[in-house]
Amino acid sequence: MAAAETQNEFQIDTEQLYHEEVFTDRRVGSILRLTPVTSDGSRDTSRAVVFLGQTQVLTQAGALPINFEIKADSLKQALEQFEHGAEQAVDDTLEQIKQLQREAASSIVVPGGSGGAAGPGAAGPGALGSGLLGGGGVKSR
């Protein structure tokens, strides 16, 4: 990697700085209040304060961190909206995991098979044109 690329990769955007405060009950989760600041550390009133929620759910693989934005104008509003935001973020995350599992399951290819017990199309959409199971330059015997 060139030195110029590395320098740009790690350069902080001085126009997008925030002062971060964390509020937590040390049990369920945390709310981060991100207050926009200028490069000298003073409050940047041209940008809105941002609230982020953080929690985690236990899975068979361990703790899964859940992060989500909370649309609020004050810490009190953010606290009131935390539960709903966390539930929605967990539901969205679980749906994304299920989608990834479906995609992974549909891409399983059995060597030497041409349909077999799984039936035609078991490799998933687009498999025939992608070089899998007889598509492209691969031929099954």
Side-chain angles (χ1 to χ4, degrees):
M1 183 180 292
E5 289 177 18
T6 303
Q7 183 179 6
N8 289 337
E9 192 173 314
F10 296 110
Q11 188 170 355
I12 291 180
D13 184 351
T14 59
E15 301 297 315
Q16 295 296 319
L17 296 176
Y18 290 87
H19 174 80
E20 181 177 310
E21 298 171 274
V22 179
F23 303 89
T24 182
D25 66 353
R26 298 181 62 203
R27 188 177 63 84
V28 173
S30 301
I31 293 178
L32 281 68
R33 179 170 55 192
L34 303 175
T35 304
V37 296
T38 62
S39 59
D40 67 2
S42 61
R43 172 76 165 91
D44 182 353
T45 57
S46 68
R47 297 183 289 143
V49 172
V50 177
F51 291 94
L52 302 176
Q54 297 181 330
T55 191
Q56 60 184 2
V57 292
L58 296 178
T59 69
Q60 293 176 343
L64 176 65
I66 304 291
N67 299 296
F68 52 98
E69 189 168 342
I70 302 172
K71 302 289 186 198
D73 295 322
S74 67
L75 178 59
K76 183 177 180 179
Q77 280 184 344
L79 289 165
E80 292 168 352
Q81 295 176 25
F82 182 89
E83 182 177 5
H84 175 72
E87 289 172 351
Q88 185 64 51
V90 168
D91 289 346
D92 292 348
T93 300
L94 293 176
E95 185 56 40
Q96 289 175 350
I97 290 170
K98 289 176 186 175
Q99 180 62 31
L100 290 171
Q101 289 172 332
R102 287 190 294 268
E103 290 172 8
S106 70
S107 66
I108 296 174
V109 178
V110 179
S114 59
L128 292 178
S130 65
L132 301 176
L133 293 179
V138 178
K139 304 240 187 263
S140 61
R141 295 181 185 223

